[in-house]
Amino acid sequence: MVDIILLGGPGAGKGTQGELMETWLDLPRVSSGDLFRYNLSQQTELGQQAKGYMDRGELVPDEITIGMVAERIARPDCANGVVFDGFPRTVGQAAALDALLAGMGRAVNVVLNIAVSEDVLLQRLAGRWTCSSCGAIYHRLFSQEKVEGVCDACGGGLMQREDDNLATQQRRIRVYQEQTAPLDAYYRQRGVLVDIDGEQSPEQVGRLIRAAIEAVLP
Ligand code: ADP
Ligand code: AMP
């Protein structure tokens, strides 16, 4: 049983690494951003509530986000642990996650703090393409698909996220610095935070992450 948090700015590589970890750890990746985008695509009430915040690059209020994640991790596939991607993003969400996991007899085992400078974050977000069908992540320069515009994994079409425009990207980075960066101290105090140099190839970042997780696995 292991509960892992991927922490890092927008574009740091959380989704990229989370996808790889899902496979080798055989654990579900719970991405709050993906859950919101799914709700948007299904035009649910939750999706409607989240839309304005996402379009502006702001955080969706804690009560909405926490409720959505609580419902997700109560499902049976999360019984052996979770790779959290993009959640928590505020101290309030972190405290709520502690309480939720404590209620299941669990606690956060390791927080992977993927550090990437602002310039590189912007470069990554500008070239990000995502499969509209399975969500696989590509980059125009750093992680290209084999056939242009077609997902290697499922054959779906690739698209750019609506919030990957320059103004929203810059806003998301500011919001990260103001509201999410304090989680660094929150988890460091507890001794569960591991710093990962995110400015290396995805393979090398993956190796660092794997070593950090193997150090805490029972
Ligand atoms: P996040 O989930 O943290 O927002 P993503 O995993 O979606 O970030 O990555 C953002 C973009 O950067 C994607 O286009 C991805 O292919 C690319 N990327 C991820 N990790 C690396 C890396 N180590 N080196 C270069 N590009 C990367
Ligand atoms: P992401 O896919 O992680 O880049 O998230 C996309 C957008 O979804 C963010 O810019 C927020 O508007 C919203 N979002 C995702 N996760 C959270 C969260 N934990 N708390 C608040 N808003 C979130």
Side-chain angles (χ1 to χ4, degrees):
M1 177 115 68
V2 60
D3 287 291
I4 301 167
I5 294 174
L6 287 163
L7 194 62
K14 301 180 296 296
T16 301
Q17 296 300 328
E19 279 184 355
L20 300 169
M21 290 160 70
E22 261 189 313
T23 313
W24 73 267
L25 285 165
D26 194 23
L27 288 178
R29 172 171 71 106
V30 170
S31 154
S32 40
D34 282 354
L35 290 172
F36 281 130
R37 280 183 288 278
Y38 176 76
N39 276 279
L40 266 180
S41 72
Q42 299 301 304
Q43 298 181 325
T44 66
E45 198 187 323
L46 180 71
Q48 293 307 311
Q49 288 173 324
K51 186 176 183 339
Y53 299 100
M54 295 176 77
D55 287 347
R56 292 190 296 274
E58 291 167 9
L59 295 185
V60 180
D62 278 358
E63 58 274 20
I64 300 175
T65 308
I66 292 165
M68 176 182 73
V69 173
E71 190 270 322
R72 175 67 189 89
I73 67 173
R75 296 203 206 143
D77 65 320
C78 293
N80 291 324
V82 170
V83 177
F84 291 96
D85 166 0
F87 181 91
R89 253 166 148 114
T90 63
V91 172
Q93 291 179 18
L97 179 62
D98 283 342
L100 284 168
L101 290 178
M104 301 169 165
R106 290 156 50 179
V108 173
N109 298 95
V110 59
V111 179
L112 301 158
N113 187 30
I114 308 180
V116 173
S117 64
E118 186 169 338
D119 285 354
V120 176
L121 290 180
L122 286 169
Q123 197 184 16
R124 289 196 185 165
L125 292 173
R128 172 162 65 186
W129 288 78
T130 310
C131 176
S132 56
S133 182
C134 75
I137 303 160
Y138 298 88
H139 193 280
R140 206 181 46 202
L141 304 174
F142 310 133
S143 178
Q144 287 163 331
E145 65 280 15
K146 293 193 180 84
V147 178
E148 197 180 331
V150 180
C151 177
D152 295 349
C154 77
L158 303 191
M159 37 105 49
Q160 280 198 296
R161 275 173 43 174
E162 269 181 42
D163 58 352
D164 275 345
N165 60 75
L166 184 60
T168 314
Q169 288 160 358
Q170 287 170 330
R171 178 83 187 116
R172 277 152 57 211
I173 291 172
R174 285 287 91 73
V175 166
Y176 171 78
Q177 288 162 345
E178 288 165 17
Q179 299 188 57
T180 308
L183 291 184
D184 179 312
Y186 182 94
Y187 288 117
R188 199 180 296 277
Q189 263 171 3
R190 285 213 224 155
V192 291
L193 193 101
V194 180
D195 290 306
I196 302 284
D197 175 2
E199 290 198 16
Q200 306 182 61
S201 68
E203 294 74 24
Q204 182 57 15
V205 175
R207 277 192 281 275
L208 293 173
I209 285 181
R210 200 172 177 127
I213 293 171
E214 279 170 354
V216 301
L217 278 179

